Amino acid sequence: MLFKNALIENAADPADIRVENGIFTQIGALSPLEGEDVTDLGNRLVLPPFIESHVHLDTCLTAGDPVWNMSGTLFEGIECWSKRKDKLTHEDIRERVKKVVGMYAEHGIQYIRTHVDVTDPELVAMKAMIELREELKDIMEIQIVAFPQEGILSFPNGKELLREAVEMGADAVGAIPHYEFTREYSVESLDYALRLAADNDKLVDVHCDEIDDEASRGLETVAARALELGLFDKVTASHTTAMHSYNNAYVLKLMRLLKLSRINFVANPLVNTHLQGRADTYPKRRGVTRVKELTEAGINVSFGHDDIRDPWYPMGNGSLRDVVFMGLHVCQMMGYEDIMNSYKFITSNAAKTLHITDHYGIEPGKPACFVVLDARNYYEALSRDSKVTGSYKNGKKIDVPSH
Ligand code: 17E
Ligand code: FE2
């Protein structure tokens, strides 16, 4: 099968893409072979599929049920969710997740890393997600983080529940150091989570310092353990909003450890612009981590949506375009090159975070997965909010399920 006239990753000139048995085999100026199927992409932008590197699928579409988050803080969100969690059922999770996966698929997302709350004695969401990961795999590759929303040491049986979720088949281990009762618990929870991951050959993704407290120092512990346990880039620090407020002298010192540790970062610009700065009067801080500085230091950063219509964020339609758009504004990354390259926050950078680079990317030998946008380059796509006109998996156009 031959795809003609693709502007691959902002290339100025079109190229053709040959796919055989679901694999990219040739990219260049190609003529159809006898009997070969040909699709003309009409000089449209072609990118590797979009990746949602941070979302909570189990909480999506629950905004206002049973109560709305009125303060807009993370902590009230956790309280609202705790009330919703009491009525969680297997079918309820299945219905909402399938709907949201359809929304994502429509916008060219083919991979999702979801955090799933395991501070639930019955692990209802975890059981349903494990089932859905398998069931939805033809349209979405889903990675599950066992996420202890209410703490590992500060929630009854938190350690056991996290371990049980890993044994059930989670792909990654989470933690929430800034929510633990004490600084000592915070450090111990990270020791526990990273050791659990190392012992079970899992990835790590920590909700890390999602608070405006400049003294919140979970990140240094995450990075130090990633280095000491040899986990390196299997580890991701999500949110890290306190880093926005760290003093610059401390960041200067911290950068050395971050580089040595090789950990990844995920920023969630829509949600943290909304949740952070809530204890400030004026001026109000932006609560997004130092994306520009991390990127300039060669550290891997991706962007996530975090929530779609739930207690932490009432908006969202499954498009990552708005995430990138907000990220560029709030991080002040509006130079032309910054804008052109910003698709990497939801493609190749996210692929590194998810550890899927062995089967991701537009190059011969890799599975033929890509998206086509109605634009000539990413600047145009972003500024015009261009539609994804096709999302191809293993050479075949994905039929987006109704949602
Ligand atoms: N839970 C949490 O701790 N932080 C968040 N941003 C969300 C859920 C969405
Ligand atoms: Fe999150």
Side-chain angles (χ1 to χ4, degrees), residues 62-348:
T62 64
D65 179 12
V67 286
W68 288 95
N69 180 346
M70 297 308 291
S71 66
T73 60
L74 166 68
F75 300 107
E76 188 176 335
I78 296 175
E79 266 178 60
C80 297
W81 169 242
S82 183
K83 293 191 178 97
R84 181 61 173 77
K85 202 157 47 168
D86 291 341
K87 356 183 253 178
L88 214 52
T89 68
H90 194 79
E91 199 44 42
D92 158 41
I93 297 273
R94 287 179 55 83
E95 273 176 29
R96 287 184 291 105
V97 171
K98 284 205 238 172
K99 209 176 261 187
V100 174
V101 165
M103 289 159 67
Y104 274 121
E106 182 185 338
H107 292 99
I109 288 97
Q110 292 188 20
Y111 309 83
I112 295 177
R113 172 177 281 186
T114 179
H115 298 257
V116 178
D117 187 359
V118 297
T119 49
D120 162 12
E122 304 302 325
L123 295 174
V124 174
M126 194 67 199
K127 287 173 190 158
M129 275 311 310
I130 298 255
E131 204 176 277
L132 288 160
R133 179 178 61 188
E134 177 63 24
E135 212 172 300
L136 297 170
K137 70 175 193 299
D138 291 339
I139 51 166
M140 197 64 70
E141 187 172 315
I142 296 176
Q143 208 171 74
I144 299 173
V145 184
F147 170 52
Q149 175 68 80
E150 296 185 57
I152 298 175
L153 280 101
S154 312
F155 187 79
N157 294 320
K159 282 184 172 176
E160 292 72 21
L161 288 167
L162 190 61
R163 177 177 295 278
E164 202 183 322
V166 166
E167 285 163 3
M168 277 171 66
D171 302 291
V173 182
I176 185 162
H178 54 280
Y179 194 74
E180 300 285 353
F181 291 147
T182 67
R183 194 192 57 83
E184 289 77 9
Y185 280 10
S186 155
V187 174
E188 193 183 333
S189 72
L190 290 172
D191 280 338
Y192 182 80
L194 273 80
R195 173 71 62 187
L196 184 64
D199 289 348
N200 291 277
D201 195 22
K202 301 290 179 187
L203 302 169
V204 174
D205 194 330
V206 174
H207 274 65
C208 193
D209 304 321
E210 190 184 10
I211 189 165
D212 294 322
D213 173 8
E214 68 282 0
S216 188
R217 296 289 162 89
L219 179 56
E220 61 182 24
T221 305
V222 169
R225 296 300 176 271
L227 176 66
E228 292 156 1
L229 293 169
L231 289 168
F232 298 111
D233 60 349
K234 287 184 175 168
V235 176
T236 296
S238 282
H239 297 291
T240 62
T241 61
M243 193 185 190
H244 183 96
S245 299
Y246 286 168
N247 69 74
N248 291 333
Y250 173 67
V251 172
L252 208 59
K253 173 235 173 188
L254 179 65
M255 278 293 186
R256 175 172 172 263
L257 170 62
L258 297 181
K259 284 187 213 165
L260 284 171
S261 74
R262 311 206 301 259
I263 65 168
N264 308 291
F265 284 74
V266 181
N268 299 286
L270 284 175
V271 170
N272 287 125
T273 304
H274 161 63
L275 294 178
Q276 306 313 127
R278 291 288 178 159
D280 294 351
T281 52
Y282 286 96
K284 289 178 191 284
R285 274 171 283 190
R286 297 164 188 223
V288 177
T289 195
R290 301 185 182 208
V291 175
K292 196 181 207 170
E293 290 79 357
L294 289 166
T295 301
E296 280 167 5
I299 293 168
N300 186 47
V301 184
S302 66
F303 283 171
H305 205 304
D306 202 12
D307 304 274
I308 295 185
R309 302 181 214 155
D310 73 6
W312 294 276
Y313 188 70
M315 311 275 184
N317 64 355
S319 170
L320 292 177
R321 179 265 179 192
D322 292 352
V323 174
V324 175
F325 191 76
M326 173 59 89
L328 294 185
H329 284 78
V330 79
C331 301
Q332 299 187 324
M333 297 177 76
M334 285 282 193
Y336 184 68
E337 287 303 315
D338 287 336
I339 299 174
M340 283 289 263
N341 284 324
S342 61
Y343 71 90
K344 293 180 183 170
F345 288 122
I346 54 168
T347 58
S348 51

